Amino acid sequence: MTWAATTDNLTPTNNYSYACNEPGDGGVGARVCRTDNAQVSYYADSAGDNQLEAGDFDTLVNMMSAEYQPTDLSVSVTFSPSFSGSSETDIIYQEQGVPGSNEGITWCNDAAGTFECDQQYVRIEGAGSYTPGLTCHETGHAVGLLHGQNASPALGNQNSALGCMKKETSYGDRLGANNKENINGAY
Ligand SMILES: [Zn+2]
């Protein structure tokens, strides 16, 4: 493979080598973790306090097909998630308020190895925050992608090479070549 990435922004890097942690519901203090393998199953809450509206679910599914399926990851939506055992559903998406000024947060609830996680939660606020750009961003964290300041070499957090991993994402931000190269190098 030809390495064409602008920067290494998939944990661990020379500027970010924190072990994966399990911060508990809500994710305050979460560190970025890799997902545990290239088979990425995901589920979106369809009932209860954290359910996604239909349009938000469609945004998520379309983004996964357009941005992550073309990588070396194999992504699949499930409607019967697993929350225990050895093959938990990898990413659980919820719509709920997020502390502080962020509109989204991602955390691990089952660390598996130093840098890897068996199941991660993505929580994004309602009222228009479930955009292609932000769902791409939080999913990026769930597979180990980092902000520019944690990349090696470090980039400004709004550097365009970071695609949807810019810290402040725009509506239509896409995964882009750098993130795709890093994913394909890791999985
Ligand atoms: Zn982020």
Side-chain angles (χ1 to χ4, degrees):
M1 189 184 90
T2 303
W3 182 256
T6 304
T7 190
D8 174 11
N9 67 332
L10 200 143
T11 191
T13 73
N14 290 335
N15 290 319
Y16 188 100
S17 58
Y18 297 109
C20 184
N21 67 349
E22 300 174 0
D25 187 69
V28 173
R31 290 167 174 173
V32 175
C33 311
R34 295 184 178 212
T35 189
D36 56 354
N37 58 57
Q39 313 302 317
V40 177
S41 59
Y42 68 98
Y43 170 77
D45 276 13
S46 56
D49 292 342
N50 298 316
Q51 72 174 305
L52 273 67
E53 288 143 347
D56 296 333
F57 179 72
D58 290 345
T59 294
L60 172 64
V61 171
N62 290 337
M63 184 284 298
M64 292 296 267
S65 298
E67 307 301 335
Y68 287 89
Q69 184 60 42
T71 72
D72 286 353
L73 297 170
S74 176
V75 299
S76 59
V77 65
T78 181
F79 297 95
S80 52
S82 172
F83 294 97
S84 63
S86 59
S87 59
E88 297 181 51
T89 302
D90 294 293
I91 310 176
I92 309 296
Y93 293 87
Q94 301 181 330
E95 180 177 311
Q96 182 59 265
V98 172
S101 59
N102 293 326
E103 294 176 79
I105 192 165
T106 299
W107 74 93
C108 175
N109 82 335
D110 191 7
T114 306
F115 297 109
E116 297 175 340
C117 181
D118 191 28
Q119 184 170 66
Q120 306 204 52
Y121 281 77
V122 168
R123 187 172 285 181
I124 294 175
E125 295 189 340
S129 293
Y130 251 92
T131 64
L134 190 55
T135 57
C136 175
H137 182 100
E138 297 303 332
T139 302
H141 284 319
V143 301
L145 291 171
L146 299 161
H147 297 154
Q149 65 185 9
N150 300 130
S152 178
L155 300 179
N157 277 337
Q158 295 304 109
N159 189 301
S160 61
L162 298 165
C164 68
M165 296 313 295
K166 290 184 299 185
K167 184 151 180 17
E168 306 295 332
T169 56
S170 299
Y171 180 93
D173 279 345
R174 302 194 59 183
L175 191 60
N178 184 78
N179 295 328
K180 187 174 179 182
E181 286 275 346
N182 277 278
I183 288 170
N184 291 349
Y187 298 100

